[in-house]
Amino acid sequence: MHAMQYEITLPADYDMDVIRHRVASKGHLLDAFPGLGFKAYLMRERGRDGGSPVNQYAPFYVWNTAAGMHSFLWGPGFQGLSDDFGRPVVQHWPVLAYEEQAAPRGTARAAVRRRQRISEAARLPQVADELAEEARRLMVEEGAVSALAAVDPRTWEAVHFSLWEHEAPEGLGDVFQVLHLSTPEREQLRTGRQW
């Protein structure tokens, strides 16, 4: 499994209804995309969403297959986004652990992303266990939908990502609104440790 995200930071006076309209009119296009576990269409507004310093459109993907991810990146959907906003840097991380509620009661309304540098002195087996445990621990929180931990071994950066049925708990990281959730192969995502 691969996690992927790009961020499009917009001017402070940008009309974020443009992003809402874009997602409302195009979000359904990935509702059946092969290889995609889920795509969370995320947005944060300056001064809202946990005190966001920026206006930003920042979708987050979890891919079941590398072929699905490549099909998207080299296909017309990503090219259309690049044509409209410029080609963004795409971050991606191999997923270390993934957890989800067996039967979420509602849809995701908020997402939280936190990045963490892994120090040179850290013992990697212990770090991996701690990251997986944090994803498991979040699933006992009221309103948690799913959580994952992933690591970019090029930069040794871990990313923690979680979806919530209600407003996100404070202090966990960057908070985003979920405008739409495409889940074509969510039931095929393997839960637990990925190693």
Side-chain angles (χ1 to χ4, degrees):
M1 289 172 28
H2 297 274
M4 183 180 96
Q5 186 176 37
Y6 47 86
E7 300 170 328
I8 299 170
T9 301
L10 301 159
D13 62 350
Y14 191 84
D15 180 359
M16 295 305 283
D17 284 338
V18 172
I19 300 299
R20 287 183 185 90
H21 176 72
R22 179 184 187 90
V23 172
S25 63
K26 296 183 180 194
H28 70 280
L29 296 176
L30 292 187
D31 286 353
F33 199 90
L36 179 62
F38 71 79
K39 175 182 179 180
Y41 293 78
L42 305 181
M43 178 183 86
R44 56 186 182 153
E45 291 183 83
R46 186 170 184 251
R48 295 184 56 201
D49 304 319
S52 174
V54 296
N55 286 328
Q56 198 171 64
Y57 176 54
F60 195 96
Y61 303 72
V62 176
W63 295 96
N64 276 324
T65 68
M69 181 172 66
H70 290 297
S71 180
F72 174 74
L73 286 173
W74 304 109
F78 188 70
Q79 184 59 56
L81 176 110
S82 297
D83 291 344
D84 291 346
F85 296 103
R87 186 184 319 142
V89 171
V90 178
Q91 300 170 298
H92 59 94
W93 308 267
V95 174
L96 195 63
Y98 175 76
E99 303 289 344
E100 69 177 18
Q101 290 292 344
R105 293 175 298 284
T107 188
R109 292 185 50 221
V112 178
R113 183 205 59 210
R114 180 171 56 88
R115 295 180 179 142
Q116 167 189 348
R117 301 292 294 171
I118 299 172
S119 78
E120 181 76 25
R123 306 296 299 166
L124 296 178
Q126 180 180 349
V127 169
D129 287 341
E130 289 169 359
L131 293 170
E133 178 56 33
E134 182 171 348
R136 274 192 304 275
R137 183 189 57 74
L138 284 175
M139 285 301 92
V140 302
E141 298 285 330
E142 177 64 32
V145 175
S146 64
L148 67 79
V151 175
D152 178 351
R154 184 181 61 85
T155 60
W156 294 108
E157 176 190 66
V159 64
H160 305 267
F161 181 80
S162 54
L163 292 170
W164 300 85
E165 292 177 345
H166 51 64
E167 293 196 14
E170 301 225 359
L172 292 182
D174 297 324
V175 177
F176 298 86
Q177 298 171 46
V178 178
L179 301 178
H180 179 71
L181 194 60
S182 292
T183 60
E185 295 183 8
R186 182 177 177 180
E187 69 283 349
Q188 295 174 35
L189 291 172
R190 189 173 71 129
T191 58
R193 291 165 49 134
Q194 304 295 308
W195 78 99

